[in-house]
Amino acid sequence: MTASAADLRVSVVQFEAAPADKAGNLATVRRLAMSAAEDGSRLVVFPEMCLVAYWHLTTSTTERLRELAEPADGPLVRALKEIAADLGVGIGAGFLESDGDELFNSYAVCFPDGTVHIHRKLHAFEHEAISSGSDYTVFDTPWGVRMAILICWDNNLVENVRAVALLGATVLIAPHQTGGTSSRSPHGMKVIPSELWRDRFENPEALREAVDGPNGRGWLLRWLPARAHDNGIFLLFSNGIGPDDDEIRTGNAMILDPYGRIVAETPVADEAVVTADLDMDLLPLSTGRRWLLGRRPELYGVLTQRSGLERDARTARHSDVPVPDDFRIEG
């Protein structure tokens, strides 16, 4: 770690992406990234799929998805590279990637020197035509800090965050489009009534209560701090806010330290930039990082065995079929 990394200023952003409006969303990214850069940030993290918007993809035709998708070296990522170079900051944003006949829910992190790192969501469930990625994305940065990217549901599976920590990541970029979803679980998230967003200026307290409640921030706090704490890793959570097709995203952009503490978060249910300094001196003795040294890998073979009941991400996310009572892996 270099001396310049001892105090790394970063920002996470929440905003309402416009469906299929690449130019408009790019303009929003540039505007908000400029604001963060003026505040001294060196990395600005935007939400999942924010360059084309998200939930409308689930009901789009495959042909429409192909019209919206671009290759990793296409105009959208080139534009992100230009913004990063112009502002002198790292920029991360989500887009729909095409690679031959395959489509991916992808996320690009672009650095001012022209370096680009692209992660493909490991557990893509949005559309039968969108494939899941197959690789972890962990990389070194200009600030001497090793980072990783996990998109939305990637973070819900605890194995993924542990894996990137073991690959050396100390900062996790975690872009989402979540909150206000229609969970199959009886005590999971539920939708937020659209009228709360429509009436947000007349009754802002009701909207704020909803996005901070069990269908938004309350749900996040059941598990998000644990990902940071248990792995001794900073976590940069960005998210959409407002209408996302037929759901309302809850924002709740926040930055967590390696102890799972919230360093900074947004106080508004609106477009926002949340900025904080990451104190890298917290890492060496953080609880989760020390726990990594107490691992006994010889015991963990069960983690790589198949049960025979595995489901693809789309089925696992959308199915109403219960997990069998006798689910187990025979040791």
Side-chain angles (χ1 to χ4, degrees):
M1 186 182 302
T2 65
S4 63
D7 199 26
L8 179 64
R9 177 163 286 198
V10 300
S11 295
V12 294
V13 176
Q14 63 184 41
F15 80 95
E16 180 186 347
D21 185 1
K22 297 179 184 180
N25 293 326
L26 274 171
T28 299
V29 165
R30 177 179 282 275
R31 173 173 57 82
L32 296 176
M34 184 179 300
S35 174
E38 290 172 350
D39 195 28
S41 284
R42 287 185 274 180
L43 174 69
V44 190
V45 174
F46 290 87
E48 173 186 16
M49 204 64 80
C50 64
L51 297 179
V52 296
Y54 183 59
W55 206 234
H56 71 105
L57 302 177
T58 65
T59 55
S60 296
T61 64
T62 300
E63 291 73 20
R64 179 55 174 160
L65 295 185
R66 295 194 185 284
E67 292 173 358
L68 292 173
E70 294 187 9
D73 58 355
L76 276 178
V77 175
R78 290 201 301 270
L80 287 179
K81 290 173 63 176
E82 291 174 3
I83 296 172
D86 290 348
L87 299 180
V89 298
I91 302 286
F95 70 109
L96 184 61
E97 181 190 356
S98 59
D99 185 1
D101 291 333
E102 289 192 288
L103 300 173
F104 297 95
N105 178 338
S106 294
Y107 194 87
V109 172
C110 304
F111 293 125
D113 65 359
T115 303
V116 179
H117 299 279
I118 292 181
H119 177 68
R120 293 171 172 174
K121 189 174 185 177
L122 301 173
H123 306 276
F125 58 80
E126 297 81 11
H127 193 285
E128 61 184 6
I130 298 178
S131 301
S132 292
S134 56
D135 296 293
Y136 290 114
T137 307
V138 183
F139 50 90
D140 296 317
T141 69
W143 316 291
V145 176
R146 194 159 168 81
M147 296 188 178
I149 308 166
L150 291 172
I151 299 173
C152 201
W153 208 41
D154 292 352
N155 293 280
N156 289 114
L157 280 81
V158 297
E159 294 91 342
N160 291 327
V161 183
R162 175 53 55 90
V164 298
L166 291 173
L167 290 170
T170 55
V171 175
L172 175 58
I173 297 169
H176 282 64
Q177 292 287 351
T178 193
T181 69
S182 181
S183 172
R184 270 63 175 170
S185 300
H187 300 290
M189 284 186 294
K190 303 302 175 187
V191 296
I192 290 175
S194 59
E195 58 266 23
L196 294 183
W197 181 262
R198 187 184 62 237
D199 299 337
R200 64 190 183 280
F201 299 116
E202 292 75 19
N203 191 4
E205 294 82 7
L207 177 63
R208 186 66 197 178
E209 182 178 356
V211 300
D212 280 351
N215 300 317
R217 185 177 184 271
W219 171 76
L220 291 169
L221 294 189
R222 295 185 192 179
W223 62 273
L224 200 61
R227 300 296 183 270
H229 169 272
D230 291 354
N231 296 287
I233 196 169
F234 288 97
L235 197 152
L236 313 183
F237 174 83
S238 64
N239 192 23
I241 181 69
D244 187 11
D245 200 51
D246 62 347
E247 295 183 342
I248 304 294
R249 301 287 165 248
T250 61
N252 308 116
M254 66 179 77
I255 297 170
L256 298 97
D257 75 8
Y259 288 91
R261 301 177 301 181
I262 298 174
V263 178
E265 65 179 316
T266 176
V268 298
D270 201 349
E271 179 180 282
V273 178
V274 175
T275 299
D277 295 315
L278 305 186
D279 180 1
M280 295 296 164
D281 289 337
L282 293 175
L283 286 166
L285 289 176
S286 62
T287 309
R289 196 162 176 83
R290 290 190 298 108
W291 285 351
L292 292 179
L293 300 184
R295 295 171 61 249
R296 295 183 61 192
E298 67 274 11
L299 298 178
Y300 308 147
V302 66
L303 296 178
T304 61
Q305 295 179 35
R306 286 189 168 270
S307 68
L309 297 175
E310 283 77 17
R311 303 167 180 171
D312 64 90
R314 185 170 170 78
T315 302
R317 171 62 174 78
H318 294 295
S319 176
D320 291 319
V321 178
V323 177
D325 291 340
D326 60 350
F327 171 79
R328 68 173 63 86
I329 292 177
E330 300 296 338

